[in-house]
């Protein structure tokens, strides 16, 4: 989070405010007027720094993504010399921490985009998410062993991401508190990350053993 003791530049105030409002309302329902009002600036500032609402949306999404990674590095703090198992665990913990973080807006913007697609994020999603996807798939490939097929790697990756994104659905679905707790306690994100890792690793190891037996 920015240092509140230092006055923020107009462009940064706009990014912080826009990322929050886009996360809360989505691109279509967020207005330039509201963003400017809450950022304590005027529409001319958006035109000067970002050109238009579309580009502000892209840059706010990128800003939110970078802030999330600062708070929760994608490697989970694991050194590259640690085992593949621990490096996978770190990545899962990072992903779930980013999704669960109440001050993180990146995944909330993605959630709104998935519900009402603008196509504006397509290019930037590929640019920013591909390195994350490739890093996790590389770990999965290493854990599966030399006999693994690319389809197995992709399926394992999809399974892990699907479990993590379940947390995103629970975070945004409208439920009473008891039902939400019964489905998944958002405050227990660390325990959920541990479960996803243990469950996924067991599946990967079973698949590796099956591949070795059938080879």
């Amino acid at each position: 989070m920015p240092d509140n003791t230092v006055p923020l530049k107009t462009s940064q105030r706009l990014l912080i405010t826009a990322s929050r409002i886009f996360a809360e309302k989505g691109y279509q329902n967020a207005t330039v007027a509201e963003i400017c009002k809450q950022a304590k600036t005027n529409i001319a500032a958006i035109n000067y720094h970002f050109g238009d609402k579309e580009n502000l949306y892209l840059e706010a999404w990128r800003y939110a993504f970078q802030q999330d990674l600062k708070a929760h590095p994608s490697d989970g703090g694991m050194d590259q010399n640690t085992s593949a198992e621990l490096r996978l665990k770190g990545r899962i913990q990072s992903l779930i921490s980013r999704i669960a973080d109440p001050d993180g807006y990146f995944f909330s913007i993605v959630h709104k985009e998935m519900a009402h697609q603008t196509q504006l994020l397509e290019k930037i999603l590929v640019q920013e998410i591909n390195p994350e996807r490739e890093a996790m798939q590389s770990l999965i490939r290493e854990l599966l062993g030399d006999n693994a097929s690319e389809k197995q790697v992709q399926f394992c990756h999809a399974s892990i991401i699907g479990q993590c994104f379940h947390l995103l659905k629970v975070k945004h679905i409208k439920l009473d508190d008891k039902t939400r707790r019964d489905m998944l306690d958002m405050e227990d994100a660390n325990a959920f990350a541990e479960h996803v890792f243990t469950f996924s690793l067991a599946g990967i190891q079973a698949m590796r053993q099956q591949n070795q037996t059938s080879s």
Side-chain angles (χ1 to χ4, degrees):
M1 298 298 290
D3 184 353
N4 294 326
T5 64
V6 179
L8 298 176
K9 295 180 179 179
T10 301
S11 59
Q12 189 174 8
R13 291 206 313 275
L14 282 168
L15 287 174
I16 294 169
T17 304
S19 62
R20 175 174 53 78
I21 292 177
F22 284 135
E24 292 171 355
K25 299 187 174 184
Y27 177 79
Q28 290 90 345
N29 293 326
T31 66
V32 167
E34 181 179 12
I35 292 170
C36 289
K37 181 179 179 180
Q38 294 194 27
K40 295 181 171 55
T41 187
N42 52 48
I43 293 176
I46 288 182
N47 295 334
Y48 176 77
H49 291 286
F50 303 102
D52 54 26
K53 180 183 176 182
E54 289 187 5
N55 199 51
L56 174 62
Y57 182 56
L58 295 176
E59 293 306 317
W61 184 92
R62 195 194 304 272
Y63 176 81
F65 178 68
Q66 292 168 347
Q67 292 301 114
D68 273 11
L69 288 182
K70 283 182 182 178
H72 310 283
S74 58
D75 61 8
M78 297 293 177
D79 189 271
Q80 286 302 306
N81 294 322
T82 59
S83 67
E85 288 86 355
L86 286 178
R87 282 180 281 136
L88 178 64
K89 183 177 183 178
R91 287 197 168 269
I92 290 172
Q93 287 178 328
S94 169
L95 181 55
I96 289 178
S97 294
R98 281 182 275 156
I99 291 173
D101 190 342
D103 295 321
Y105 301 131
F106 161 70
F107 281 106
S108 295
I109 295 175
V110 170
H111 184 263
K112 288 290 192 300
E113 179 71 18
M114 290 169 65
H116 303 284
Q117 291 188 9
T118 66
Q119 306 302 324
L120 295 173
L121 291 184
E122 185 174 349
K123 183 177 180 181
I124 194 172
L125 274 169
V126 170
Q127 291 174 343
E128 302 290 357
I129 296 300
N130 265 359
E132 300 290 313
R133 177 180 57 80
E134 290 169 359
M136 185 175 285
Q137 286 188 351
S138 177
L139 281 173
I140 293 169
R141 191 176 293 110
E142 182 178 348
L143 289 166
L144 282 172
D146 296 335
N147 296 325
S149 68
E150 282 305 302
K151 181 174 287 188
Q152 287 177 324
V153 172
Q154 292 171 12
F155 282 4
C156 287
H157 179 259
S159 177
I160 293 171
I161 297 300
Q163 291 177 82
C164 296
F165 268 60
H166 175 71
L167 192 64
L168 184 62
K169 296 177 189 175
V170 174
K171 183 177 180 179
H172 289 281
I173 196 170
K174 293 181 179 179
L175 297 169
D176 60 79
D177 290 341
K178 181 181 183 305
T179 304
R180 189 183 299 277
R181 284 195 299 272
D182 289 343
M183 288 182 65
L184 187 63
D185 191 344
M186 288 294 296
E187 295 181 359
D188 208 12
N190 287 336
F192 183 58
E194 186 71 34
H195 164 78
V196 171
F197 167 69
T198 302
F199 188 83
S200 301
L201 183 61
I204 290 171
Q205 289 174 336
M207 192 173 293
R208 178 184 180 120
Q209 186 174 5
Q210 185 180 49
N211 287 343
Q212 291 173 338
T213 303
S214 60
S215 62

